[in-house]
Amino acid sequence: MSEIGSIVQDTAHSPPRWQISGDWTLGHYSHLQAELSRLGTLAPDQPLDFSLLGQLDTAGAALLGRWLGSERLTSLARQNPELTPERLALLHTVGEALQECPESPGAAHQSAAYEVLEEVGVTMTGLWDRGRALLGFIGLALESLARTLLQPRRWRVTSLVAHIEQTGLNAIPIIVLLTFMVGAVVAFLGATVLANFGATIYTVHLVAFSFLREFGVLLTAILMAGRTASAFTAQIGSMKANEEIDAIRVLGLNPMELLVLPRILAMMISLPILTFIAILSGILGGGVVSALMLDISPTLFLGILQSEVPVQHLFVGLAKAPFFAFIIAIIGCLEGFKSGGSAKSVGDHTTSAVVQSIFMVILLDALAAMFFMEMGW
């Protein structure tokens, strides 16, 4: 039967010593913690007697370690020969762990301004690390692409075609539906505003310019960021969690060539095609609204498009598509490789991939808009 541990001051010796007896185990943790709280801090010069110590586990060792302190633990072997080497090793190990683990985490109160600055610093450091990781992964992908292009036997044509189907062909319905409705909304809002100036006919120009230069490629890229980047992250993250990527390396294959390059090339092929389809669908939506509500016939609508809207605006919109596709695929694959072995990690990195992809697409679009404006294109 176990005996509850206790600490009693033995005054029969000179100087008085503390007698540690009974079992110091998890079952008596509350009682022992109360005893130590009542005794307070142990003086450095007070001797200890462990001759009556019963059972000892990590819970009891943690209590003794906090009460004795790290400096006293190092001198136990010299002052208390009755302790066995196993118990000394347990006390030393627990003492080292306690030095790295504060007794009351979060007890120190910090000012609100300090916490805000700390959070800003942590966020900026995280952004810097993500930027470096993204640039490094881009370099690795470009290096793998350059090395593989000159060796046709290493091309993954089957994987490329499968990803083109998943990222491009299967995305056509949602792209067409969304851009058609946005084109109709743009035409309706444009007509509402332009009617006040008697310039309803310029609704055609508004729809054409907006979709040729911006809306077609931007809406498509945002949809692909939410649909495809998340799929890339989830697929690669699941493979990493199942240790399939390690198996690929064991087989002597390169995960970049096998998993990343087909996805990047598929996106760079699919997104320009989807952008062209989105432009046609958006203009069609604007044409339907113009015909039904503005008395602009399809013949007049197409005539204005042909005679007054330069084709260079189409090229401007399509030129941005490969860059958007590349950054979306890179971020999706990178976040997949960064995910851990748990479902929560895969979910977190999937969310991060979508957010980062949409942010980078909008950032690149803004930079491209300023560049084309300065060039006069």
Side-chain angles (χ1 to χ4, degrees):
M1 184 175 181
S2 63
E3 179 184 354
I4 298 178
S6 62
I7 306 175
V8 180
Q9 190 173 30
D10 185 2
T11 57
H13 296 78
S14 182
R17 64 178 59 189
W18 290 99
Q19 181 74 52
I20 300 176
S21 61
D23 297 336
W24 287 65
T25 58
L26 181 60
H28 306 148
Y29 188 88
S30 300
H31 171 77
L32 294 172
Q33 188 177 37
E35 285 289 323
L36 292 177
S37 300
R38 179 178 57 82
L39 293 176
T41 306
L42 177 69
D45 57 344
Q46 289 183 299
L48 300 170
D49 183 7
F50 289 92
S51 60
L52 299 179
L53 178 63
Q55 299 181 9
L56 179 68
D57 62 6
T58 53
L63 288 174
L64 286 174
R66 293 195 184 278
W67 185 53
L68 297 175
S70 58
E71 296 181 0
R72 189 64 182 272
L73 283 177
T74 58
S75 63
L76 285 179
R78 184 176 65 256
Q79 297 179 1
N80 304 94
E82 66 274 11
L83 281 172
T84 63
E86 292 79 6
R87 289 185 172 178
L88 284 173
L90 175 61
L91 289 171
H92 289 175
T93 303
V94 171
E96 292 175 357
L98 291 176
Q99 291 179 3
E100 302 175 0
C101 179
E103 183 174 0
S104 54
H109 179 70
Q110 299 175 347
S111 64
Y114 182 87
E115 292 180 354
V116 170
L117 291 176
E118 181 183 16
E119 185 67 23
V120 171
V122 170
T123 303
M124 295 304 297
T125 303
L127 291 175
W128 174 256
D129 293 339
R130 288 183 180 181
R132 290 181 58 190
L134 180 60
L135 290 177
F137 196 73
I138 289 174
L140 184 60
L142 293 177
E143 184 268 339
S144 301
L145 180 62
R147 187 178 63 250
T148 306
L149 281 178
L150 301 179
Q151 303 180 39
R153 63 184 178 83
R154 301 175 66 176
W155 295 355
R156 305 289 175 177
V157 180
T158 302
S159 178
L160 176 62
V161 174
H163 286 299
I164 290 177
E165 179 185 3
Q166 294 172 5
T167 61
L169 184 62
N170 295 344
I172 290 178
I174 185 63
I175 295 291
V176 170
L177 178 62
L178 178 69
T179 52
F180 180 87
M181 292 189 296
V182 172
V185 170
V186 170
F188 179 78
L189 293 178
T192 302
V193 175
L194 294 174
N196 297 327
F197 305 95
T200 306
I201 192 65
Y202 288 103
T203 301
V204 181
H205 300 74
L206 175 63
V207 172
F209 277 93
S210 61
F211 271 89
L212 289 173
R213 296 184 66 97
E214 295 295 336
F215 283 172
V217 64
L218 188 59
L219 290 175
T220 304
I222 291 176
L223 276 176
M224 297 299 284
R227 182 182 182 274
T228 306
S230 59
F232 288 173
T233 303
Q235 291 166 1
I236 296 178
S238 299
M239 295 180 67
K240 187 176 181 183
N242 295 330
E243 299 182 354
E244 295 178 37
I245 295 179
D246 295 333
I248 290 173
R249 292 192 176 99
V250 170
L251 293 173
L253 301 174
N254 188 345
M256 290 295 297
E257 296 179 8
L258 192 65
L259 302 177
V260 178
L261 292 186
R263 288 173 166 83
I264 293 177
L265 295 177
M267 276 291 293
M268 295 183 69
I269 294 173
S270 299
L271 192 58
I273 299 174
L274 291 174
T275 298
F276 183 74
I277 295 174
I279 291 172
L280 295 180
S281 179
I283 293 176
L284 178 62
V288 170
V289 171
S290 299
L292 296 179
M293 302 187 63
L294 306 179
D295 294 330
I296 300 176
S297 66
T299 303
L300 178 59
F301 191 93
L302 293 175
I304 294 174
L305 286 179
Q306 184 177 3
S307 61
E308 300 185 20
V309 179
V311 73
Q312 72 178 41
H313 300 296
L314 173 64
F315 298 147
V316 168
L318 292 177
K320 295 184 285 186
F323 297 97
F324 291 171
F326 181 80
I327 198 65
I328 291 171
I330 281 288
I331 291 175
C333 294
L334 174 60
E335 290 299 315
F337 280 107
K338 287 167 61 178
S339 63
S342 64
K344 181 180 183 303
S345 178
V346 175
D348 292 342
H349 284 282
T350 301
T351 303
S352 178
V354 175
V355 174
Q356 290 185 54
S357 300
I358 293 176
F359 173 79
M360 289 301 299
V361 163
I362 295 175
L363 176 62
L364 290 178
D365 186 69
L367 294 176
M370 291 188 292
F371 172 77
F372 291 135
M373 181 180 65
E374 291 296 328
M375 296 297 294
W377 294 348

